[in-house]
Amino acid sequence: MSTRVQWLGHSALLLESDGRTVLIDPFLTGNPKAAAKAGEVPADLILVSHGHGDHLGDAIAIAERTGATVAANYEIGEWLQQSAQGLSTAKVRGLQHGGSFLFDNAVRVKLTLAFHGSVLPDGSYGGNPCGFIVTFPDGTRIYDAADTALFGDMALIGEEGLDLAILPIGDYYTMGPDDALRAVKLLRPRFVLPIHYNTFPPIVQDANAWATRVKSDTSAQPVVLQPGDWFEIPKK
């Protein structure tokens, strides 16, 4: 079975491969662009990049409903296990940057740098924000930068050999179109998908115009989705 990705709006993503579903930053309730409801979306594994409400989102409720494992940085992992949140230790993976773990003996998740902030909804310290490299059994490798500024070590991340890079382009809170284009040049992915734009007025962007620049200035193939659309990643 091939690997595919669905953009659920903002930074929420659903990855599917070989019968497994990986849900990233599931901000659905209160998301004006959400293409799914928190009570309906599937998940075997949930990845949370940082503590802001538009990324942590519905992670706890979805994990309780589906029994999914939740992976995040160590601080968020500890917070999720507190009594107020109530997720069991067996269902939480608190990692650190550069660390990885193998989910279900099949899906490898590695934490990467991200330059941003992180505070949890109750004001607790949310640790350092992160991105993710997700490698599936069919060899497909996806990098989700999550919320970040441009940084030079994206060149090292690109050395992993990326089939798909998922990058914010909204500006104001993250990289804007110009820096996201520079990120593509550092990462050298086969395909690139823009996220974290058009949800709220401060981050309105023309993704198609950005895609035209990507196609002109890099070797990557841009993929612009509408919330709810899927992209099946072609085999090499």
Side-chain angles (χ1 to χ4, degrees):
M1 178 180 177
S2 61
T3 299
R4 63 178 189 160
V5 56
Q6 183 185 35
W7 185 38
L8 297 175
H10 199 56
S11 294
L13 298 151
L14 184 65
L15 314 180
E16 280 190 359
S17 184
D18 195 29
R20 298 175 181 86
T21 56
V22 180
L23 183 64
I24 305 179
D25 287 343
F27 168 50
L28 302 172
T29 302
N31 176 357
K33 300 293 185 179
K37 295 180 179 179
E40 300 172 349
V41 69
D44 297 309
L45 174 64
I46 301 171
L47 307 181
V48 177
S49 65
H50 61 288
H52 293 164
D54 63 327
H55 291 259
L56 175 67
D58 300 290
I60 295 170
I62 295 170
E64 290 175 339
R65 175 177 58 82
T66 61
T69 295
V70 182
N73 67 27
Y74 181 82
E75 289 79 9
I76 293 176
E78 291 295 290
W79 182 83
L80 289 170
Q81 296 171 68
Q82 293 175 6
S83 59
Q85 286 65 249
L87 294 187
S88 70
T89 300
K91 288 296 185 178
V92 175
R93 297 294 187 100
L95 295 88
Q96 293 286 13
H97 294 70
S100 70
F101 81 104
L102 187 64
F103 173 74
D104 196 25
N105 292 315
V107 181
R108 173 70 63 180
V109 177
K110 181 178 180 180
L111 268 61
T112 69
L113 292 175
F115 286 83
H116 194 60
S118 182
V119 63
L120 291 154
D122 63 1
S124 301
Y125 173 57
N128 292 319
C130 69
F132 301 101
I133 298 173
V134 184
T135 306
F136 289 99
D138 66 359
T140 299
R141 184 164 291 136
I142 297 173
Y143 168 54
D144 177 22
D147 280 13
T148 189
L150 177 72
F151 56 94
D153 282 358
M154 285 182 173
L156 298 179
I157 294 173
E159 290 177 3
E160 299 268 0
L162 304 175
D163 294 292
L164 174 66
I166 302 171
L167 301 176
I169 67 166
D171 208 0
Y172 200 86
Y173 300 111
T174 67
M175 293 187 292
D178 291 343
D179 279 353
L181 179 62
R182 296 171 68 189
V184 176
K185 294 176 181 179
L186 292 173
L187 292 164
R188 305 181 306 280
R190 294 171 57 215
F191 300 92
V192 60
L193 169 67
I195 60 169
H196 204 277
Y197 69 95
N198 287 358
T199 320
F200 309 109
I203 59 172
V204 170
Q205 298 292 342
D206 186 339
N208 288 312
W210 181 77
T212 297
R213 296 174 64 193
V214 169
K215 197 167 185 178
S216 172
D217 295 356
T218 79
S219 61
Q221 180 67 42
V223 178
V224 176
L225 301 179
Q226 296 300 312
D229 286 352
W230 289 92
F231 171 61
E232 185 169 315
I233 302 170
K235 299 289 187 182
K236 294 179 182 177

